[in-house]
Amino acid sequence: MKIAKNSVVTLDYEMFDADNQLIDKTEEPISYLHGGYDGIFPLVEEQLHDKAVGDVVDVTMAPDDAFGEQEEDLIRIEPLDVFPVEVEVGMMFEADDPETGEVMVYRITDVADGKAVVDGNHPLAGQRIRFKATVKDIRPATAEELEHGHVHGAHDHHHH
């Protein structure tokens, strides 16, 4: 079977930064629903189309195709007394976006003089990313998966 729209694709992947350092890899294979359901980077999905089990794709993505560009307006300086705990560089906080109400994740990137720099950009924003994936399994999606627009079963993500 080849990967086509509405197939469930299981793959192992490795992700590398611009210096070709490994930054992420699958411990367990992941599955996604193929065909424009936003289950995977669109550029990677394009490359995976029509591939078979055992095939490998190796895609280098510009920031726009991966985690986006750095957005200056997502970086703020906050006084330390707004935080419920003592903050350190690298800590993550969730906060509601005042404009959209969506939950944003902010990372502390600097602490000095009673203030913290918080950055709402994805840690990999602004970076070229290389995504290398090996196709492990392909199967037709179930009616329920198509209705929900994502994979169900052992290797999927769950609703919260």
Side-chain angles (χ1 to χ4, degrees):
M1 184 173 168
K2 299 260 197 208
I3 297 175
K5 184 167 173 65
N6 299 336
S7 14
V8 171
V9 182
T10 302
L11 34 92
D12 274 323
Y13 73 81
E14 294 175 318
M15 227 166 26
F16 302 88
D17 66 13
D19 300 322
N20 227 19
Q21 299 292 314
L22 182 67
I23 46 178
D24 189 21
K25 70 195 254 309
T26 42
E27 299 298 323
E28 291 284 319
I30 60 156
S31 299
Y32 79 95
L33 181 57
H34 186 84
Y37 295 97
D38 289 334
I40 196 164
F41 299 113
L43 214 63
V44 173
E45 187 171 70
E46 236 170 73
Q47 296 289 315
L48 282 164
H49 196 75
D50 221 24
K51 295 286 187 275
V53 171
D55 285 351
V56 175
V57 297
D58 196 329
V59 185
T60 299
M61 296 178 282
D64 275 352
D65 295 314
F67 297 101
E69 296 289 354
Q70 284 275 2
E71 290 183 46
E72 288 302 317
D73 59 355
L74 292 179
I75 301 171
R76 298 193 204 148
I77 297 174
E78 300 280 1
L80 290 179
D81 58 18
V82 304
F83 296 97
V85 294
E86 209 173 306
V87 297
E88 291 168 21
V89 171
M91 287 172 99
M92 309 277 236
F93 288 93
E94 286 189 350
D96 293 337
D97 183 314
E99 286 171 25
T100 63
E102 286 178 28
V103 174
M104 305 258 310
V105 175
Y106 289 94
R107 201 169 71 258
I108 306 288
T109 56
D110 195 20
V111 178
D113 303 327
K115 294 184 172 65
V117 178
V118 295
D119 187 343
N121 286 293
H122 189 282
L124 298 172
Q127 294 193 36
R128 290 180 72 78
I129 300 290
R130 186 174 145 233
F131 190 96
K132 183 179 174 189
T134 306
V135 180
K136 294 290 187 194
D137 187 52
I138 306 164
R139 67 168 173 81
T142 64
E144 187 184 24
E145 287 170 330
L146 292 175
E147 190 183 320
H148 290 193
H150 60 231
V151 176
H152 293 185
H155 298 297
D156 70 333
H157 60 271
H158 298 284
H159 292 288
H160 293 297

